C-alpha cells in the first residue's frame, strides 16, 4: 500500500517542487515550469532556484527546505554532479517521490556515473523516498493536466497507461497523442515495472497498459504480477534489445540487463501479456485495444471496396492466424439480394460493384456492414475503404462510428487508403469507436492479437 | 516495336475517345471527362454519347465512327453487355488502344461474363487493337496530366511507374501521390506485365518500376524481361494471393491464376526483382528507391536523439540483415570531441546529450550527421529524430535535405516520431532528397532492401 500511495504522488501530485528549474524560457530552453503552466495543472508549484525570486510570475524558493507546505513530488533537473545533494535535501524535507532528469549515471561510461548512482541509492535507502530515473522524462497524466517533461507534450484523456524506458512514448507516434498516463522508468534504478503495474492495476481511468521494456531486475515478480492484471486489463509489451549488439546499446542507454529473447517470449506467453513484434505493432495494438471491445467469436467478416486489398487481407489472415470463413446463409442471402447478378458474394464481400449501382453510393455500404455486424457467427468486422478526399474521410468516420455505436459488442476495424486516409484514421481514433489502419495487413494483424487476448479472457 | 507504340498511345495519348461518358457530373457521378478536364490534359478529347450534344462544354459524338481525326486511345465505360459492340466499333475506326472499364467479365461468376470476354478476345484478335482490362481504372500519366480514371486522382511528376491489378494504387496510400505513371492491368485479358515493363524500360521519365501482381499467364517471359530491366532500373514487386483461399478471391477479382508462393519467390530472386512482403513494404520501397541513390558500402551509421529507438534500430538490423558496425577511428574521435565526457560514442550515436548542451541545439546534429555522411566506410546514414511541432518538422526537413544535397552519393534516411512526424515525412518526400519513416524498424528494412539491390547492381 505504501508503494501505491507514493506512485499516486508521482502520477497525481497535488504539489510539485521543480528543483533546478532555469530562469530561461521559450524555445530551446526546455523549461519544465513553462510546460507545466501551459497544460493548465491545478496543483501547487514550487520552483526551486536560489538565483532568482520568480520565474514566469511564479515565486521561487532557494531550496525545498524553504517550502513550508507538504510536497508530493520533487523533479530534479540539474547537472548530474549536484543530484545526490539535492536528493538528500528532498529526503530531509520528507518528500517521498523524487524524479531525476539528469543523464550520466548507470547509462554513463565513466566511474563517476556509477559512484553518483551509489550515493543516490544510499540516500534513498536511508529515507523512505522513492526515485524515478535517473535519465527520466518523468511522469504524465492527462486527467490532471500534469507532466514533468522538459519537452512540451500533447496529452489526451485516453484510457491508456504507458510504462516505458524512454521519453519518446511521451512525445508520441503517428501524430496521435497517446499519453493518457505515462511513467518513464528510464534507468529504473528504483521505481520499476512492478510499481507502475500496481498503479495502473488500481487506476480506474486506465483500461489498457502498454509496456516498453529494455530490461529489468526481477522478471519473476513481473510475470507474477502481470498474470493477475492481464486477466483484468490487457497488457501490451514491446521488448527491445534482442541481440548482443543491442544489449550493449541498452547498457549505455538505461544501463538495464536485457535478458534473452526466447526467455522473454516464454515469460510473456505465460503471463498472458500480448507481445508486439516492433514499435509499429505496439502503437497499433494500443490504438486497437483502447477503443475496441473484445471478440466473442474468432471468425471475421470483411467488406471491401477494393478486391485487391481484400486479397491482401486474406494473405495476412493466413500469416497471423485468424479465420475468414464463409458467411452464414442468412447474411449471404441478404447481400446477394443487393448485388448485381454476376457478382458472387463471398467473404471478403466485394462491396464496390454494389455501391456503384446505387444512389447514394454509401447506402449499400451501410446495409452491407449492418448485415456483417449483425451476423452472430462473426466476432469482428473489417471494412476496407478509401478516403478520396477530406469530405469522404470525414463521412466515413461518421458512418462507421454510428455503426459501431449501434453494435457496441462487436469490434469494427478498418483499413483506409487514398489521399485523406491519414486524416480519416486520426478522426476515427479521436472519435474512439472505430480503429483505422493504412493497410489491410496491419488491421488483420491487430485483430488477430485482439482475438488472442479475447480467448485468454474468455478462458478458452 | 508495335507493342511499344501502342503502349505509348495508352500512356501518352494525343487524342482520347471517352465512350459512354455520362451527362451527369459532380459528386458520385464518377465522370471520366470531368476528371480529365480538371487535370489540365492538353490532348484532344472526344466524348461519345449519342443522347446529348455536349458535356461540360465539350462537343460529343454519337459514335467513334463519327470522329474524323485519328484517335490514340478509346476508354469504354458502359455496362458490360454493350462492350463487345463498342470494341468492334473502335477497332473498325482503326483505334489501336482500348480500355474497358466495365466489370463482370472473367471476374464474374456467371457464364455471360465468360461469353462477353470471348467476344472481346475475338474482335481484338481479328484487328490489331490491344485491350487494357476489363475492370480497369485505366492509365495515368502525371507528365502529360492525363488519367482515364473515373475517380479523380492526385498525380505528381515522380519518377515512379506502377503496373498494378487494382485502381487502389492510383488512388494512393499514405497521403502521398505516388502516380508518376500508372497502368491498371486489372483482369489483364490482353495488355499485361510484359507490355507494361517494355514501356517503362524505354521511358526516361521512369526510374523505378513497381508491380502489384495477382497473377499472370506467362511467368517465364516476365522473368526473362525483368532480369534485363532490373540491371538498369529497380523493379519492386508485391505478389498477392498467396493461399488457396486468396486464390479463390483473386478469381472473382481479376480472374487471374495466382501460382505458388515459393515459385514466385524463386522467380523474383532469379530475376533480381525486389519482393515486398506486404503493401506497406511496397509503398516504403517505392518511396525509398525513387529518392535515394544506391549504397556503395553495406554498413550503415546511425545518429539518434532517442537511445531507445536506437536500440530498436539494432534489433531491426538483425532481423533484416544489415550491418551497424563500429565507426572509423576518425569519425569516433570527431564525435567524441563534441560529446560530454561521460558519453561513450558508439554506433548508433546518441546525439541528444550532445545537442542539449549546445546553442543552438541543432548545431551538433548537423556536425554529427556530417561526420557520418563523410565516413567512407559507411554506405548510408540513418537519423532518428522527432518533430515536436510543425516548426521542428519543417526545420528537420530543410536541415536533412541540405545535408543530402551536399552528399548526393550517400543515402540519408530517417525515422521521425512526435506530433508532427507525418507532416515532416511528407515534406521530405516532396522535397525528394531524404526519405522518412515513422519507425526505425521500417527505415532499417528499407535500407536493407536498398543494400540488396545495390549489391545486385554493383555485381557483388
Amino acid at each position: 500500500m505504501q508503494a501505491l500511495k507514493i506512485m499516486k504522488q508521482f502520477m497525481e501530485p497535488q504539489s510539485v517542487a521543480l528543483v533546478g528549474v532555469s530562469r530561461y524560457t521559450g524555445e530551446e530552453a526546455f523549461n519544465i515550469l513553462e510546460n507545466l503552466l501551459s497544460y493548465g495543472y491545478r496543483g501547487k508549484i514550487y520552483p526551486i532556484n536560489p538565483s532568482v525570486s520568480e520565474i514566469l510570475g511564479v515565486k521561487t524558493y532557494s531550496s525545498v527546505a524553504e517550502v513550508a507546505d507538504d510536497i508530493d513530488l520533487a523533479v530534479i533537473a540539474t547537472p548530474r554532479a549536484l543530484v545526490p545533494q539535492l536528493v538528500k535535501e528532498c529526503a530531509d524535507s520528507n518528500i517521498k517521490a523524487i524524479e531525476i532528469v539528469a543523464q550520466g549515471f548507470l547509462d554513463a561510461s565513466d566511474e563517476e556515473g556509477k559512484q553518483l548512482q551509489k550515493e543516490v541509492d544510499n540516500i534513498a535507502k536511508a529515507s523512505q523516498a522513492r526515485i524515478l530515473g535517473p535519465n527520466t522524462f518523468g511522469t504524465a497524466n492527462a486527467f490532471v493536466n500534469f507532466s514533468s517533461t522538459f519537452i512540451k507534450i500533447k496529452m489526451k484523456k485516453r484510457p491508456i497507461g504507458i510504462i516505458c524506458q524512454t521519453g519518446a512514448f511521451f512525445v508520441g507516434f503517428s501524430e496521435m497523442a497517446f499519453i493518457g498516463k505515462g511513467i518513464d522508468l528510464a534507468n529504473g534504478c528504483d521505481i520499476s515495472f512492478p510499481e507502475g503495474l500496481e498503479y495502473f492495476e488500481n487506476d480506474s481511468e486506465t483500461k489498457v497498459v502498454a509496456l516498453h521494456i529494455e530490461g529489468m531486475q526481477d522478471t519473476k515478480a513481473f510475470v507474477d504480477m502481470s498474470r493477475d492484471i492481464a486477466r483484468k486489463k490487457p497488457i501490451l509489451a514491446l521488448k527491445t534489445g534482442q541481440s548482443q549488439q543491442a544489449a550493449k546499446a541498452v547498457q549505455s542507454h538505461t544501463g538495464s540487463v536485457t535478458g534473452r529473447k526466447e526467455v522473454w517470449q516464454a515469460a510473456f506467453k505465460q503471463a498472458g501479456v500480448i507481445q508486439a513484434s516492433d514499435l509499429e505493432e505496439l502503437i497499433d495494438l494500443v490504438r486497437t485495444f483502447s477503443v475496441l471491445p473484445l471478440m466473442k467469436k474468432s471468425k471475421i467478416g470483411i467488406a471491401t471496396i477494393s478486391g485487391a486489398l481484400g486479397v491482401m487481407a486474406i494473405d495476412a489472415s493466413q500469416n497471423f492466424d485468424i479465420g475468414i470463413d464463409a458467411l452464414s446463409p442468412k447474411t449471404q442471402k441478404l447481400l446477394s439480394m443487393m448485388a448485381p447478378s454476376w457478382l458472387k458474394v463471398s467473404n471478403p464481400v466485394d462491396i464496390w460493384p454494389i455501391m456503384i449501382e446505387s444512389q447514394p453510393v454509401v447506402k449499400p455500404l451501410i446495409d452491407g456492414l449492418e448485415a456483417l455486424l449483425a451476423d452472430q457467427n462473426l466476432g469482428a468486422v473489417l471494412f476496407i475503404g478509401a478516403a478520396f478526399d477530406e469530405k469522404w474521410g470525414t463521412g466515413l468516420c461518421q458512418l462507421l462510428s454510428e455503426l459501431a455505436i449501434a453494435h457496441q459488442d462487436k469490434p469494427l476495424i478498418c483499413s483506409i487508403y487514398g489521399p485523406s486516409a491519414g486524416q480519416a484514421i486520426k478522426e476515427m481514433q479521436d472519435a474512439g469507436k472505430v480503429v483505422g489502419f493504412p493497410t489491410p495487413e496491419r488491421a488483420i494483424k491487430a485483430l488477430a492479437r485482439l482475438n488472442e487476448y479475447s480467448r485468454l479472457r474468455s478462458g478458452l
Side-chain angles (χ1 to χ4, degrees), chain A:
Chain A
M1 276 320 285
Q2 182 60 12
L4 183 58
K5 185 165 169 257
I6 294 180
M7 281 312 297
K8 285 190 180 170
Q9 290 178 226
F10 276 109
M11 297 302 298
E12 310 153 15
Q14 298 193 8
S15 53
V16 54
L18 304 178
V19 183
V21 68
S22 165
R23 77 183 80 179
Y24 299 107
T25 57
E27 228 176 314
E28 299 207 359
F30 304 113
N31 190 309
I32 296 177
L33 173 64
E34 188 174 17
N35 296 338
L36 188 50
L37 292 173
S38 78
Y39 303 135
Y41 171 64
R42 303 288 289 272
K44 285 180 194 148
I45 307 175
Y46 303 103
I48 312 296
N49 182 327
S51 315
V52 290
S53 60
E54 62 87 25
I55 300 172
L56 293 167
V58 184
K59 176 182 189 293
T60 57
Y61 297 79
S62 61
S63 75
V64 288
E66 206 196 315
V67 179
D69 305 310
D70 283 348
I71 296 173
D72 275 354
L73 172 67
V75 181
I76 302 177
T78 64
R80 65 176 182 170
L82 306 176
V83 170
Q85 172 59 26
L86 293 168
V87 171
K88 178 84 172 56
E89 289 178 21
C90 289
D92 289 346
S93 288
N94 203 30
I95 301 176
K96 295 281 179 290
I98 303 170
E99 298 180 0
I100 302 174
V101 177
Q103 296 184 288
F105 291 81
L106 285 190
D107 52 306
S109 62
D110 62 2
E111 270 311 305
E112 193 184 339
K114 290 184 190 65
Q115 184 54 40
L116 288 168
Q117 184 60 52
K118 206 173 284 174
E119 290 176 39
V120 169
D121 288 343
N122 290 337
I123 298 162
K125 222 171 279 173
S127 70
Q128 287 177 316
R130 302 296 304 264
I131 310 286
L132 181 64
N135 194 7
T136 184
F137 233 58
T139 46
N141 183 346
F143 295 84
V144 296
N145 300 312
F146 173 79
S147 170
S148 52
T149 54
F150 60 84
I151 283 178
K152 196 165 150 182
I153 62 169
K154 286 185 184 167
M155 299 182 278
K156 189 161 182 190
K157 288 184 182 119
R158 295 196 202 267
I160 302 166
I162 292 179
I163 312 173
C164 50
Q165 296 194 260
T166 169
F169 284 90
F170 285 44
V171 175
F173 302 98
S174 305
E175 312 209 81
M176 291 184 223
F178 279 113
I179 289 289
K181 302 190 180 188
I183 309 168
D184 177 14
L185 302 177
N187 291 13
C189 79
D190 177 15
I191 297 292
S192 185
F193 290 95
E195 290 83 2
L197 282 172
E198 190 183 359
Y199 175 77
F200 286 126
E201 179 183 14
N202 290 285
D203 179 41
S204 63
E205 286 158 337
T206 300
K207 308 276 179 233
V208 175
V209 184
L211 311 177
H212 159 252
I213 305 169
E214 290 195 343
M216 64 179 80
Q217 296 301 324
D218 191 352
T219 47
K220 191 176 171 318
F222 167 77
V223 170
D224 288 343
M225 280 193 77
S226 300
R227 193 190 288 111
D228 286 342
I229 301 170
R231 267 74 190 170
K232 292 179 276 186
K233 298 179 183 185
I235 303 178
L236 313 166
L238 174 64
K239 173 67 184 72
T240 66
Q242 309 209 326
S243 63
Q244 270 208 311
Q245 190 180 3
K248 254 179 73 182
V250 164
Q251 189 53 45
S252 65
H253 177 229
T254 56
S256 306
V257 180
T258 51
R260 276 182 48 222
K261 189 173 166 178
E262 297 74 17
V263 175
W264 274 102
Q265 272 174 349
F268 287 136
K269 193 154 185 173
Q270 203 190 334
V273 170
I274 304 294
Q275 186 180 9
S277 57
D278 57 19
L279 177 57
E280 178 168 274
E281 193 185 6
L282 182 67
I283 301 164
D284 286 355
L285 294 181
V286 168
R287 292 177 51 218
T288 303
F289 280 68
S290 63
V291 167
L292 299 186
L294 297 183
M295 288 170 65
K296 296 207 170 115
K297 294 276 171 69
S298 283
K299 302 295 177 189
I300 62 172
I302 304 178
T304 178
I305 71 160
S306 158
L309 269 66
V311 171
M312 293 175 202
I314 299 175
D315 283 342
S317 75
Q318 308 268 338
N319 293 335
F320 302 114
D321 193 25
I322 188 162
I324 306 171
D325 277 14
L327 299 170
S328 69
K330 190 182 155 194
T331 308
Q332 178 93 24
K333 201 178 153 192
L334 240 156
L335 290 162
S336 294
M337 280 168 58
M338 297 159 56
S341 63
W342 56 264
L343 183 71
K344 187 172 176 337
V345 169
S346 52
N347 189 12
V349 182
D350 206 351
I351 201 89
W352 184 255
I354 312 179
M355 291 171 70
I356 197 84
E357 298 197 353
S358 161
Q359 283 280 355
V361 291
V362 295
K363 176 79 169 62
L365 175 59
I366 296 169
D367 294 346
L369 287 172
E370 271 284 356
L372 294 177
L373 286 164
D375 188 329
Q376 303 267 344
N377 294 327
L378 299 173
V381 174
L382 165 62
F383 168 59
I384 302 172
F388 300 112
D389 55 31
E390 275 192 34
K391 201 177 151 196
W392 267 86
T394 300
L396 269 184
C397 175
Q398 280 169 358
L399 180 162
L400 296 170
S401 295
E402 278 164 28
L403 281 166
I405 290 167
H407 298 272
Q408 299 217 20
D409 280 355
K410 192 169 290 184
L412 176 57
I413 200 167
C414 57
S415 162
I416 305 292
Y417 62 99
S420 296
Q423 165 230 332
I425 289 167
K426 193 171 178 303
E427 278 180 28
M428 287 176 201
Q429 196 73 29
D430 286 338
K433 304 294 171 196
V434 178
V435 177
F437 292 100
T439 66
E441 293 96 337
R442 275 167 67 183
I444 289 285
K445 200 173 169 188
L447 272 186
R449 311 314 297 277
L450 186 66
N451 184 45
E452 185 185 330
Y453 181 70
S454 301
R455 300 284 75 73
L456 173 84
R457 280 289 290 276
S458 67
L460 295 176

